[in-house]
Amino acid sequence: MSVGVKPLAYNSLWQLRNDTWSSLEESTTQLALADAQQRSVEQLVETVTGSLDILGSIERFWAFPGGQIFREVQRLFAAGQYDRLAAVVGRANRALVTESYRGGQAWDLRAEDDAYDRDSRPAKQFGSDRPYFEVLVVEDLTAEQENSLREELRRWRRPDDQFIYEIVVVPSFDEAVMAARLNFRLQACVVRRRFAHRSRHDSSLFAQFAGIDGADDLMEHTPDDRAQVLARTLAKIRPELDLYLMTEISVEDLAGRLSHHFRRIFHAREGSLELPLSILDGVAARYRSPFFNALRDYSHRPTGVFHALPISHGKSIVNSHWIRDMVDFYGLEIFLAETSATCGGLDSLLEPTGPLREAQQLAAETFGSRQTYFVTNGTSTGNKIVVQALVQPGDIVLVDRNCHQSHHYGLMLAGAMVSYLDAYPLNQYSMYGAVPLREIKRQLLALRRAGKLDRVKMLLLTNCTFDGIVYDVGRVMEECLAIKPDLVFLWDEAWFAFARFHPVSRPRTAMRAARTLAERMRLPEYRQRYDAQAEEVGAIDAADDEVLLRRRLTPDPARARVRVYSTQSTHKTLTSLRQGSMIHVWDQDFSQKVEATFHEAYMTHTSTSPNYQILASLDLGRRQAALEGFELVQKQIENAMRLRDAVDHHPLLSKYMRCLTTADLIPAEYRPTCIDQPLRSGLPNMIKAWDCDEFVLDPSRITIYIGATGIEGDSFKRRHLMDRYGVQINKTSRNTVLFMTTIGTSRSSVAYLIEVLVTIARDLEAQLADMSPAERATHEREVLRLTSPSAPLPDFSGFHPSFTDGHGLPTPEGDVRRAFYLSYSDSYCEYLTPDEVEQRVENGDQVVSTTYVTPYPPGYPVLVPGQVFSPEILSFMRSLDTPEIHGYRPDLGYRVYLDKALEIAATTRPAPRPDQAVLAATSEEATPEVSRPTAAARRRSSA
Ligand SMILES: Cc1ncc(COP(=O)(O)O)c(C=O)c1O
């Protein structure tokens, strides 16, 4: 490695490359000028050398400017031809900045400039609006061979090709892996037989990107085996890449053995035309957007509408005198695309057979599911559909109490017996983390002891949480399946759709984890692992709870079924109109057990007039994710890191604000790797943490701790960020604000945010300087209040026994639906002020909420229908000064059940289902503990 080149922080790579080209342009221009004026050039030569060192290691992974141009730049520099050097670098950088190279024209190095860079306009303005991509060729070629291959492929270009591409040639396995990690323009890779194992270049700068541990003995393999290992490695990093194999020998035999790794296998001498055609065809398959295309075609056809929807084809608007501004604002196209037709090239969302079905199938491929369903009313609806499809009244569902409200309502409607799980609290920041695996296992084992395991249907968790805590999805499922082999998992990935498109986060998505688990369970080694466990602890069904809690569990591969659902708000983190969401399914029993009920549930919650624009945007959002998801997510993470660095390293900002790190948000007990800042300490550490730790932090979410400003989170959001600077954020807590970066975040928007934060900090400094001693004391009190721990966040207290099922041993689950609907009778309910509730709780009475009580922020229900008030809940509620508390009326207080309602509830429990009856009869003697109302309570209830 050259002197002065620091090892790269993973997240700055794309920006580093762009910035280095820009600074190279600047320094070569100055160099040419200084040289012409015969001034000293020593300092500038050093700067240029530094930039060339960096680019020298990176450029070989990209087609443009690429090796040839870069070698010319080096030659001109070495020859002291600074004028020419500045011209070539300037052209190259302009082409990079304007993206004019995407036109795919060959560069004439001798030309002063090119038609397209003279105008500095993007490629599409030169008649070439075809999307551009790059193809990785892995083969050890000489420079001449490389050039002739490039020329040959260019010769095959046809005017009506849909896309244009250039090739990047790397000679070795490790460079192929680095290129896949670094070059987000790659869409395909051609593996040829002759490639080296290790790069000839000094790759120390990128060692962390190679990640080919365990492939050291690769050279001992046959070329085909090496090609296979490379294909597997590339598929792990970039599953979307189309892989091709070019071979000179026994192509038929190879096709039989390796075809599942490669899209096509060609004979080297015959493939020269087939290959370019296949490359274009592979990308075209992902580029398809059947529903969007169908809608666009339909919108341009003349129609006579004798149906609903006067707005269709803009008819009710274009002739109106009073709403013409509607067309001015939205444009006509969107109304041309408004229709209620389900035929004529279009499709019905409720029974798709045409383009919508195809669009959903493409989405399934892109998101790695077995089935994908589009949802036009957000993940709020997606969650209700999945729950209704799988859960019968009386089934037990384990759910994170801090989950989104749609789960609470969905489970209530489904009549589930809900068993709430407590996430670990982060009292210092007044927020919750995620639910530890130990807590989930503990509850499952308690249900097993009570003989109720057969009724446990589903585990429902949020991955990742609003604040960015990500589960080890595979491990949670594996260990739960060891206890309950047919458990169904619903992972609410409302905030995590993007994660599929980055190699580090992908393994922790529900769909990938499901596939990995199913594949692993088929391996003989897995069976051996299970047998070894059985040897040690005996049958899991009979093993001691403590033993099972302490160790990592392996399910019986012969019994466990992989049944996984994920709901994603495409609109939250990828491209889609608001409310565009998807349900992804990876359920081995779907067609046999669920498809019919899923269809009913889908019909229950889906409008018969779904919004076509939302559906088309989902189709396009999928296309974008399939073709540029990796690039966009990589940039999103880089932007997030830039924001973190800017806040933490700014002398003024860091006085008042601090980005919370993994160590702040995930207690050490859940991080066996002990890596406090996985992302900032390099890719290997990040991969290690994401492989091993129970929880990791999504780097794209940045929680900034603002306690030292003395400004409460909600006020910071509304008064400072939104009202004064138009900066929108979503979540706050008492002393934190959460900033999210998405694929729509640009470097400029990050810069603007920094500017705003610095201005707020400066204003604060100025105000502090002008404060009187009394004002200052008030401010300091406020800072002290915000930086001291508040009342601890309360755990779920428990359901009143009248709302438990009364069968078998008492366990925590409760019937929220009964508790919810009982309150429809006013005569069963009363309002109590907080003081009155407190008094009763102190007297030992059980006060029961009729409704969800949800303070916002933080936005989690502190009480659900049927839940008893606890001293901890009351103390927490007292400590809150949030503006909104849903389910609490400041004028009346809390709505609670009268004792007579609780007595009625206890005597009107539904009869056990036939399967429950058997269980109740076989479980140990179990009379549920129904609370005896106190004399005072009886008096109140009869009053
Ligand atoms: C975890 C979680 N799930 C589901 C939803 C609902 O998603 P949608 O807005 O797409 O209905 C939200 C919304 O914020 C959420 O945070």
Side-chain angles (χ1 to χ4, degrees), residues 378-380 383 404 462 492 494-495 569 571-572 581:
T379 297
S380 305
N383 288 336
H404 186 253
T462 308
D492 180 335
W495 295 103
S569 295
H571 67 103
K572 287 195 200 301
S581 286

Side-chain angles (χ1 to χ4, degrees), residues 328-483:
D328 295 344
F329 181 66
Y330 289 106
L332 189 60
E333 292 291 332
I334 194 160
F335 302 115
L336 291 177
E338 272 300 316
T339 173
S340 43
T342 52
C343 49
L346 293 174
D347 204 353
S348 158
L349 181 63
L350 294 170
E351 291 283 356
T353 53
L356 265 177
R357 187 185 149 115
E358 211 190 323
Q360 294 183 144
Q361 281 165 347
L362 284 168
E365 274 167 38
T366 302
F367 288 89
S369 67
R370 288 182 159 189
Q371 288 87 13
T372 285
Y373 295 87
F374 289 172
V375 180
T376 56
N377 192 23
T379 297
S380 305
T381 293
N383 288 336
K384 289 179 198 132
I385 291 173
V386 177
V387 165
Q388 185 185 319
L390 286 144
V391 175
Q392 292 184 59
D395 281 346
I396 297 172
V397 176
L398 271 58
V399 54
D400 177 0
R401 199 263 318 239
N402 309 315
C403 64
H404 186 253
Q405 60 178 31
S406 54
H407 297 293
H408 293 284
Y409 288 108
L411 291 166
M412 184 271 288
L413 287 174
M417 294 298 291
V418 184
S419 184
Y420 286 111
L421 301 162
D422 284 315
Y424 65 81
L426 292 161
N427 288 324
Q428 173 71 16
Y429 312 115
S430 302
M431 58 171 86
Y432 287 94
V435 183
L437 178 53
R438 192 183 160 86
E439 159 78 1
I440 302 169
K441 283 165 72 178
R442 200 184 55 73
Q443 287 233 23
L444 278 175
L445 292 169
L447 286 158
R448 182 179 80 160
R449 226 178 310 118
K452 295 181 182 175
L453 204 54
D454 282 17
R455 285 169 47 205
V456 178
K457 184 75 192 209
M458 180 186 270
L459 171 66
L460 198 164
L461 294 170
T462 308
N463 188 54
C464 64
T465 68
F466 215 136
D467 303 293
I469 316 278
V470 182
Y471 284 84
D472 185 343
V473 176
R475 174 151 182 198
V476 169
M477 298 200 292
E478 199 174 24
E479 294 216 39
C480 290
L481 288 176
I483 301 172

